[in-house]
Amino acid sequence: MIQKWMKKISFPIVPAVLLLIGFILAATAIYIFASLSEELIEKEPFTFDPVIIHAVRSFSSPGLDRVMLFFTEIGSTLALGILVVAGMLWLGFKRQNLWGMVFFLLTVGGGGILNLLLKNAFQRKRPNADPLVEALGFSFPSGHAMGSMVYYGFLGYLVVRSKRKSLRKAFWTLLFAVAIIGIGISRIYLGVHYPSDIIAGYSAGMVWLLLCIAALEAVYFYKRLR
């Protein structure tokens, strides 16, 4: 009933709604990142950092250590690099999606470069609260959080855009969301990032991801017009 009614409307209501949602998400992410950056530059203490760190690390156990190590590994540069190559091969040979393959590389690779630029711009030192793993480089924004948002977020976009059944789409979207959240929590649990680093990484990654998706959708729209 609703689908029939929407087909009769000449105005592209679905793309317009999605564009509005994307704009709101991007604006919110920019605001959050800008607020965190301003406080960091002014050397204002993040009062929520120690509270969240204490709450997360209070659940410490050998079993949870292994779970958190797993999550942090699937968000590492090496793991994402391997997964990107696998994803590009799948898009190129299985799906014959050349533009998807190009933008997949641009999204993840560009996100990595952007993260390095931001880290060197703010140069925040990592926490020194007995980390469980070794981590190099600066802390803000979190590379794992930003990389996971960009990589798994783009996979979620591809799944939602595919012709899979709704139940499968929901399953994969939920799985990618769990991966993103789990990776962020693992970095706090392992003692190598402040919660504010994770939030900033998610925010910056969200903005970059939405920009790349918008650019890819513009390419698809132009192709349809031709």
Side-chain angles (χ1 to χ4, degrees):
M1 180 86 157
I2 297 176
Q3 290 180 346
K4 290 181 180 179
W5 175 74
M6 291 179 66
K7 287 180 179 178
K8 293 180 180 178
I9 301 176
S10 58
F11 182 75
I13 186 169
V14 174
V17 170
L18 292 176
L19 185 63
L20 177 62
I21 293 173
F23 177 80
I24 293 172
L25 287 174
T28 303
I30 291 172
Y31 173 77
I32 292 172
F33 186 85
S35 299
L36 293 173
S37 301
E38 183 180 4
E39 292 189 28
L40 186 62
I41 292 172
E42 294 177 357
K43 300 189 179 190
E44 294 286 338
F46 296 102
T47 56
F48 60 86
D49 273 347
V51 176
I52 297 176
I53 290 173
H54 176 73
V56 171
R57 301 198 77 177
S58 66
F59 294 97
S60 179
S61 69
L64 194 54
D65 287 355
R66 289 190 288 271
V67 173
M68 292 295 113
L69 286 170
F70 167 76
F71 273 111
T72 208
E73 282 301 319
I74 64 172
S76 66
T77 302
L78 176 61
L80 291 183
I82 294 172
L83 291 171
V84 165
V85 173
M88 288 178 63
L89 292 173
W90 179 76
L91 285 169
F93 294 102
K94 180 71 174 178
R95 294 295 179 181
Q96 301 293 312
N97 187 349
L98 177 61
W99 281 111
M101 183 174 65
V102 170
F103 271 86
F104 191 26
L105 178 61
L106 175 65
T107 303
V108 181
I113 294 172
L114 178 60
N115 181 258
L116 287 176
L117 293 174
L118 291 171
K119 279 180 180 290
N120 284 283
F122 293 101
Q123 297 188 4
R124 186 187 197 184
K125 293 183 179 179
R126 294 181 183 271
N128 54 0
D130 299 322
L132 300 181
V133 294
E134 183 180 1
L136 303 175
F138 297 114
S139 183
F140 183 95
S142 165
H144 275 66
M146 188 171 174
S148 64
M149 175 63 72
V150 169
Y151 177 80
Y152 294 105
F154 195 87
L155 286 184
Y157 156 74
L158 291 177
V159 168
V160 171
R161 207 181 189 284
S162 69
K163 296 179 180 179
R164 296 174 182 269
K165 294 181 180 180
S166 298
L167 190 60
R168 287 188 177 183
K169 287 184 180 182
F171 169 78
W172 284 107
T173 302
L174 178 61
L175 186 65
F176 295 144
V178 169
I180 293 170
I181 295 171
I183 289 168
I185 293 175
S186 75
R187 303 304 283 172
I188 300 171
Y189 180 92
L190 295 172
V192 291
H193 274 298
Y194 297 102
S196 50
D197 298 333
I198 304 301
I199 297 171
Y202 285 154
S203 301
M206 175 66 73
V207 174
W208 178 249
L209 173 65
L210 290 173
L211 283 174
C212 292
I213 288 175
L216 180 55
E217 285 295 327
V219 171
Y220 287 149
F221 179 73
Y222 177 73
K223 287 180 65 179
R224 285 196 298 270
L225 288 180
R226 294 185 62 184

